[in-house]
Amino acid sequence: MLNVTPSAFPAPGSQQRAAAGGRSKVPLKPGRSLMDWIRLTKSGKDLTGLKGRLIEVTEDELSKHNKKEDCWICIRGFVYNVTPYMEYHPGGEDELMKAAGTDGTDLFDQVHRWVNYESMLKECLVGRMAVKPVAAPKGVLLEKKVLASSAKDLSPSYDWFQTDSLITIVIYTKQKDMNADLVIVDCQDKQLRGEIIMDDHSYLVEVDLDHAVSEDVAVNIAEKVGKVEIILNKKDNIHWKILGQPCEGHNTFIKRTDRGLFYRKCKLVSKTEVTHDTKLFCLMLPKGTHLRVPTGQHVYLKHIIAGTEVVKPYTPVLPFLPLDFQEPPCHDGVHLYLMIKIYSHGLFTQALDHLQIGDYISVSNPEGSFKKSQLQTSEDLLLLAGGTGFTPMVKLLNFALTEVSCLRTVKLIFFNKTEDDILWRNQLEQLALKDERFEVQFILSQPSKDWVGKQGKISPSLLSEFVKRSRRDSKVLICICGPTPFTEQGVRYLKDLGYSQEEIHAFTA
């Protein structure tokens, strides 16, 4: 919801004066009101002409964009393409043109200081002005490694600088909507590895540091401009001449599939029983690691068994289903929770079950094709889970009920063999009582004689009974996960029922 106060945005065409500069309004064409502009910015249209990338802009480059049909303006170090805003500007095109191709901060402050331009023009953001070299403030030692960058160079780049006690690596992703899920940092024994995920590509900074640093690593993210800071604490307050020696893959921007998996060792801190054959493992990330597993993505566990590396995928869950839809305090970015079924003849799960508290296991970077954007416009979310195929549904449930404002219904259709196999049954039933949007349906293939619920396996008849839109034209997303035959059959049945490929997401690894 956008809050717009009358004083900040006078009605287009009105003759009242702006409080901070006596600026007259001009009549706007029909369809060019503030609400029309807001609709345009939310339409998904590329308003910058850069397809979502952010760039560094030199003064020379800025000066070239000085016409009504191609107008860039700098405000407080950020450059905006205001060309599409021309016809929506209450002060008229001529006023905007006064700052075309230049730093318009002073002019803006004279007449627009009260306007929340960052919100109004956020979809017009081109990038930041290239920083000119400046003298270091007294007492601060600056060292920079600047890679070639221009308005035409859309690849990420990095700098670094130091103070007496800190090393700061700054990565300019030139990407909007950067967030903590997309930044993975590992700093162990003088080895620094920072990977930034950008769709199906990633940018890597990986160096053997010149000197030792402490285990504490801080990560700051300026989401709007796509800047990531990795802050390290020097062990010794000495001046570094270089950041360190580059490792293979350092300063590369390539497809993630070409990058390969990176693992770090995590400590097992607890292991609790969920059902007769399933346990919740809590792993602690190393102190120098920053890693968040996005909703709908999985990690790989790697363990050496009989001299052989064995790798299996698992989807992290929450420690419990929060009934008040808040991330629980123990879900703090330090711990990973994995719900794992222990198979009596399963080589890998038996090895996991034999791990002692304090033992270590290798955990990869997150992988997966699911994107939250698939869910954010859905009105109906339908989850089909078979057994431990329930695990990706845990974070999906939490995210959907917490953050998807247009959501009407969430239905979990949970297939198991017996009642004893149902994971978190009590929590799911409590959640259904707590939130009227959520409904759970348990279906058993081998029920006891006392079972009064539905029984059977995944089938067209069961799906036609339970998989339905809340309204004929409602936007639906159906997520399915379970054993391979379950998933493949389910997808086939759903398509036979008329659901499109775009409405179905199958979790596979």
Side-chain angles (χ1 to χ4, degrees), residues 383-390 412-418 421-423 440-445 454-459 462-463 466-467 480-483 486 490 493:
L383 308 174
L384 308 181
T388 50
F390 168 66
L412 171 66
I413 302 148
F414 199 177
F415 294 83
N416 286 280
K417 288 182 180 178
T418 71
D421 295 322
I422 301 174
L423 303 167
V440 62
Q441 181 70 51
F442 301 114
I443 302 176
L444 303 182
S445 60
K454 284 287 178 179
Q455 55 183 317
K457 295 186 176 182
I458 192 166
S459 66
L462 276 175
L463 292 187
F466 293 113
V467 179
I480 182 169
C481 186
F486 172 91
Y493 298 153

Side-chain angles (χ1 to χ4, degrees), residues 124-244:
C124 299
L125 182 64
V126 170
R128 61 195 288 277
M129 286 297 293
V131 180
K132 293 180 181 178
V134 295
K138 189 173 181 181
V140 178
L141 301 173
L142 283 175
E143 286 287 347
K144 296 182 77 178
K145 170 141 178 97
V146 184
L147 302 177
S149 178
S150 70
K152 295 180 181 178
D153 181 8
L154 301 181
S155 297
S157 61
Y158 81 98
D159 302 346
W160 72 280
F161 63 88
Q162 63 180 304
T163 64
D164 289 343
S165 59
L166 300 176
I167 295 289
T168 301
I169 297 96
V170 184
I171 299 173
Y172 302 106
T173 69
K174 301 165 189 170
Q175 179 83 37
K176 290 183 180 179
D177 300 322
M178 185 55 50
N179 62 66
D181 287 354
L182 305 176
V183 180
I184 306 166
V185 178
D186 290 274
C187 188
Q188 306 287 330
D189 302 323
K190 289 178 62 178
Q191 290 284 331
L192 172 69
R193 186 184 192 278
E195 185 172 359
I196 312 296
I197 309 301
M198 286 175 273
D199 294 324
D200 59 349
H201 283 65
S202 78
Y203 176 68
L204 183 67
V205 170
E206 187 171 16
V207 293
D208 182 2
L209 296 170
D210 202 36
H211 298 282
V213 294
S214 69
E215 291 180 314
D216 298 304
V217 175
V219 175
N220 295 332
I221 301 167
E223 296 186 8
K224 187 176 63 175
V225 296
K227 184 174 75 171
V228 177
E229 292 182 342
I230 303 170
I231 303 169
L232 311 174
N233 292 281
K234 294 179 179 179
K235 274 198 172 175
D236 301 305
N237 293 345
I238 57 176
H239 176 69
W240 292 25
K241 293 183 178 179
I242 60 171
L243 180 62

Side-chain angles (χ1 to χ4, degrees), residues 20-21 73-78 95 98-99 102-114 117:
I73 293 175
C74 175
I75 305 175
R76 294 193 177 89
F78 295 102
E95 188 175 347
K98 291 178 184 177
T102 68
D103 187 334
T105 303
D106 290 343
L107 185 62
F108 175 86
D109 284 345
Q110 290 173 27
V111 293
H112 290 87
R113 193 169 185 82
W114 41 271
Y117 72 93

Side-chain angles (χ1 to χ4, degrees), residues 474-494:
S474 64
K475 290 185 178 181
V476 64
L477 177 64
I478 306 171
C479 296
I480 182 169
C481 186
T484 302
F486 172 91
T487 302
E488 290 177 349
Q489 289 172 12
V491 170
R492 189 165 64 250
Y493 298 153
L494 288 168

Side-chain angles (χ1 to χ4, degrees), residues 37-76:
W37 172 250
I38 292 167
R39 289 192 190 102
L40 178 61
T41 63
K42 294 184 180 298
S43 68
K45 186 176 180 181
D46 179 15
L47 300 183
T48 65
L50 298 175
K51 298 180 179 178
R53 296 285 182 179
L54 295 174
I55 62 175
E56 280 197 340
V57 183
T58 62
E59 285 188 5
D60 182 57
E61 180 68 27
L62 177 64
S63 67
K64 295 175 184 176
H65 302 271
N66 62 354
K67 305 175 183 67
K68 284 187 180 181
E69 63 274 13
D70 180 19
C71 181
W72 290 9
I73 293 175
C74 175
I75 305 175
R76 294 193 177 89

Side-chain angles (χ1 to χ4, degrees), residues 292-340:
R292 309 282 189 272
V293 181
T295 297
Q297 294 200 10
H298 58 271
V299 296
Y300 291 92
L301 298 189
K302 181 172 68 175
H303 196 54
I304 297 175
I305 302 173
T308 302
E309 283 189 353
V310 183
V311 176
K312 294 285 184 181
Y314 293 97
T315 303
V317 299
L318 301 175
F320 49 83
L321 273 180
L323 299 181
D324 56 355
F325 314 121
Q326 299 294 322
E327 290 287 305
C330 44
H331 185 62
D332 51 10
V334 176
H335 298 94
L336 288 178
Y337 294 87
L338 301 169
M339 193 179 288
I340 299 174

